[in-house]
Amino acid sequence: MTDSENIDTLCRLNPDVLLSVFEHSLPDGGLRSLSSSCRWIREETMPVLFRRCLVTVEEPICADRFLPQSLWPYVYHLSLLDECPDRAAARPHSWRKNQLHFTDDPLLCGTMDPEFLRTTLRAMPRLQSISLDFMCQESHGLGWDSLAAVLSTPQLRSFTLAQFMFSPRHSLTTDSVECLAPLTTFRHEQRVLRGELRRFLSQEAALGVVIGKLRHTLECLLLASEVAPFRTLMANQWPRLIELHLIGDYYPSPDSQIPFVTLFAEMPKLRVLKLELALHEYVGKQNLQLWPFDHEARFPWPDLIDLVVSFPSPEDRIYSHLPRSMRRLLLPCTPHHYFYSWKLHGLQHLHSPILYATEMLEILANVDAPHLDELRLEYRADAAEDELLACVAQRFPQLTSLEMHRFRSSAGSSVTATGIGLRLAKLENLLTLRLYDDATPHSSFATLQQNAAVIADKLACPDVRLWLLQVGNETLWYPFRLVAQQGIDEEPRVEVDPLGHSGVRVFPYDDTALYR
């Protein structure tokens, strides 16, 4: 078949089918080559090729430093990555404070020109999603004028602000905020800058005003817990909210200390609730109970399928009320306990009241969720650990993904790597197993590989993707797979999966790379 005949065949396809074909070609890079074959294909592939665009901003944004206007009709998601030189001036004791280029306040970014953003974003007809981000650790924020220019874009439906502070200098009032787009997704992410957030509490008021205005349309909401407007979350109805995610350090206040089962009671359609909250040394884990035993309430989320709770408590009534339709339950430490154990990443102001296996067993014994797909546990091993593993296999037989972080304790445990493999072999649907064992935290890679071979050999399915964590100068997960035995007397062997040979690094408040 000639090239012209191939093109003629493509021309006969339904436009939606044609776009699906192009989307399928995008991940492997084949679409760019295909788009160079002729003018017709080039024009047809434009909506896919330029659906997601990244603009690096080093100087005040303007037409000469932005996407060509010919591409505007095709952009669905726009990422603006700030690399302006004034970020360095925001560092404490920086000698650059008197060398500002584009702003007179080192806390406020001067490159995101509000007038240009307001005019340009409205002229991009397919634009529905925008993210603003920078990659360093300075205290750097966006003023309300720039934020308002973006948030007022009529066609916008998803907004992500990562690392930036949210209007740190200006308090907002309900009357001062007008014409916001009907967003369905609002995300204010902070991967590393935690303690600094509390220095600028005007962010809490500003966020409260903005998301309060969006309460009728929001479906997905992610907030840094340090500046989350708890009063706004409690005092309003959220008729469409499906996913709520709070992540960061927990600071007790009159609003945040109201039990979560009441605090978030006006979210009847909630399906995903993620509370990844770290505790300061003076704060007890009872503050994180969703439904304390002495608190009168009703279970407000009948459609809940995904729950993440840091430092869970056996006294929390929430676990005996979870719907049978639950698909995902994560009960971790935040950050993971090994970050505390090895004093990594400067977490001295936090503490990690990790549960014992006995307590974790008590929690899981109250969970009636036979269709659970994914489970994550973090505990200190004790005499009940073997019973805990048996409970996991018995109560959650449909698990496809299991992650366990086990730590030594003076109570002791007789469970070995072989025992773990044998207990979990009963999970016949298991596809992914992630394990961390601090009995060999800084062991050689050869020892890690040996443990992986022992466990993988006992699992029900040889195709289970097994990840083991190695803690050292870097914290890395390694994926292993079982090597086919050449003879019946050969010892089981594993090899590192070629797709993850260099390991996947995780950070205290960001391990998303592992779950992509």
Side-chain angles (χ1 to χ4, degrees):
M1 186 178 289
T2 65
D3 289 344
S4 59
E5 289 173 324
N6 283 329
I7 293 172
D8 185 57
T9 301
L10 287 174
C11 289
R12 295 198 202 104
L13 292 176
N14 176 282
D16 292 334
V17 173
L18 189 60
L19 283 177
S20 296
V21 171
F22 292 154
E23 289 275 8
H24 185 71
S25 304
L26 187 61
D28 297 325
L31 189 58
R32 183 169 296 180
S33 299
L34 179 64
S35 69
S36 303
S37 58
C38 74
R39 178 178 297 176
W40 178 82
I41 289 184
R42 175 70 174 177
E43 292 175 352
E44 293 297 318
T45 57
M46 292 281 275
V48 178
L49 279 173
F50 299 103
R51 188 173 189 268
R52 303 178 67 87
C53 290
L54 168 67
V55 177
T56 299
V57 184
E58 298 178 350
E59 301 179 56
I61 195 168
C62 63
D64 293 337
R65 305 185 188 109
F66 194 65
L67 299 172
Q69 193 166 353
S70 59
L71 300 182
W72 293 3
Y74 308 113
V75 179
Y76 174 90
H77 173 81
L78 176 64
S79 294
L80 298 178
L81 182 63
D82 179 32
E83 292 192 356
C84 81
D86 292 333
R87 291 174 309 165
R91 296 172 184 162
H93 313 298
S94 173
W95 57 271
R96 296 188 180 184
K97 281 185 167 55
N98 296 323
Q99 297 185 4
L100 297 172
H101 297 80
F102 309 121
T103 179
D104 55 5
D105 185 343
L107 191 62
L108 297 179
C109 179
T111 62
M112 301 295 177
D113 181 70
E115 292 305 318
F116 176 82
L117 290 173
R118 181 176 289 105
T119 302
T120 303
L121 299 182
R122 291 170 182 242
M124 303 172 74
R126 295 188 183 180
L127 183 67
Q128 292 205 14
S129 173
I130 189 167
S131 67
L132 300 100
D133 194 359
F134 68 92
M135 305 306 294
C136 298
Q137 300 184 23
E138 293 85 5
S139 301
H140 202 51
L142 283 182
W144 175 243
D145 52 353
S146 296
L147 290 167
V150 176
L151 292 169
S152 63
T153 306
Q155 69 275 26
L156 199 65
R157 295 297 178 268
S158 177
F159 171 80
T160 298
L161 188 71
Q163 292 301 98
F164 284 102
M165 293 189 183
F166 191 94
S167 186
R169 293 296 195 202
H170 304 100
S171 297
L172 305 180
T173 63
T174 302
D175 295 336
S176 65
V177 177
E178 298 178 353
C179 302
L180 296 180
L183 296 181
T184 57
T185 298
F186 184 100
R187 300 168 63 89
H188 181 220
E189 301 177 356
Q190 281 289 344
R191 293 182 292 273
V192 293
L193 192 69
R194 306 243 68 101
E196 286 292 297
L197 290 174
R198 297 288 297 176
R199 291 180 54 204
F200 305 98
L201 290 179
S202 60
Q203 295 179 95
E204 181 178 336
L207 286 163
V209 171
V210 171
I211 67 170
K213 290 271 189 177
L214 299 171
R215 64 188 182 277
H216 297 297
T217 60
L218 278 180
E219 297 176 6
C220 177
L221 177 61
L222 182 151
L223 297 169
S225 60
E226 293 86 349
V227 290
F230 287 101
R231 182 170 299 181
T232 300
L233 292 172
M234 183 181 68
N236 292 283
Q237 294 184 340
W238 307 83
R240 299 182 60 181
L241 194 66
I242 295 173
E243 178 172 349
L244 175 63
H245 189 178
L246 299 181
I247 181 169
D249 297 353
Y250 174 81
Y251 287 85
S253 70
D255 296 324
S256 67
Q257 286 187 293
I258 296 171
F260 294 116
V261 72
T262 296
L263 197 62
F264 305 143
E266 299 300 330
M267 303 174 182
K269 293 190 176 181
L270 203 65
R271 292 170 63 83
V272 179
L273 177 58
K274 300 180 180 181
L275 303 174
E276 299 182 64
L277 304 174
L279 290 171
H280 282 253
E281 290 179 327
Y282 58 87
V283 180
K285 71 177 183 180
Q286 70 273 9
N287 286 276
L288 301 186
Q289 290 187 31
L290 278 76
W291 192 348
F293 73 93
D294 58 350
H295 181 73
E296 290 296 326
R298 62 174 181 82
F299 186 78
W301 315 300
D303 298 326
L304 192 70
I305 61 171
D306 186 341
L307 177 64
V308 182
V309 180
S310 301
F311 307 111
S313 172
E315 290 78 35
D316 196 333
R317 295 169 61 189
I318 200 70
Y319 302 108
S320 60
H321 289 79
L322 293 177
R324 286 175 57 85
S325 55
M326 284 286 296
R327 305 305 293 269
R328 187 170 184 261
L329 179 62
L330 276 55
L331 304 174
C333 301
T334 299
H336 289 301
H337 190 69
Y338 50 75
F339 285 114
Y340 299 94
S341 298
W342 300 101
K343 296 180 172 56
L344 302 173
H345 296 272
L347 301 177
Q348 292 84 356
H349 63 294
L350 303 175
H351 74 127
S352 178
I354 186 172
L355 271 67
Y356 282 87
T358 301
E359 298 170 294
M360 190 65 76
L361 174 62
E362 188 176 345
I363 290 175
L364 295 187
N366 285 317
V367 176
D368 183 16
H371 306 294
L372 204 68
D373 287 329
E374 182 176 351
L375 178 65
R376 194 181 306 172
L377 308 175
E378 200 156 347
Y379 61 88
R380 286 194 184 278
D382 63 13
E385 184 180 21
D386 187 61
E387 189 178 353
L388 172 63
L389 296 177
C391 173
V392 169
Q394 179 182 358
R395 296 188 69 85
F396 313 114
Q398 302 302 317
L399 283 179
T400 60
S401 178
L402 173 63
E403 181 174 326
M404 298 194 310
H405 299 232
R406 58 192 301 264
F407 296 83
R408 292 167 294 177
S409 73
S410 57
S413 170
S414 60
V415 175
T416 62
T418 299
I420 292 174
L422 288 172
R423 282 299 190 189
L424 301 184
K426 296 179 181 179
L427 295 171
E428 297 180 353
N429 297 311
L430 197 64
L431 300 175
T432 301
L433 175 62
R434 301 183 184 93
L435 293 173
Y436 171 68
D437 185 353
D438 83 333
T440 54
H442 292 281
S443 59
S444 67
F445 188 80
T447 302
L448 199 71
Q449 199 166 15
Q450 183 180 359
N451 288 341
V454 171
I455 295 169
D457 183 55
K458 305 301 179 186
L459 297 176
C461 177
D463 296 328
V464 171
R465 197 170 193 205
L466 174 63
W467 295 75
L468 295 188
L469 182 71
Q470 187 173 43
V471 177
N473 293 330
E474 291 184 325
T475 307
L476 296 170
W477 285 97
Y478 289 97
F480 294 94
R481 62 183 182 185
L482 200 61
V483 177
Q485 291 177 282
Q486 302 300 315
I488 57 174
D489 297 327
E490 185 181 8
E491 291 291 325
R493 292 187 302 112
V494 295
E495 62 183 7
V496 177
D497 191 316
L499 296 178
H501 62 88
S502 60
V504 178
R505 190 178 181 188
V506 292
F507 300 90
Y509 294 91
D510 183 16
D511 56 5
T512 53
L514 180 62
Y515 307 103
R516 287 173 184 162

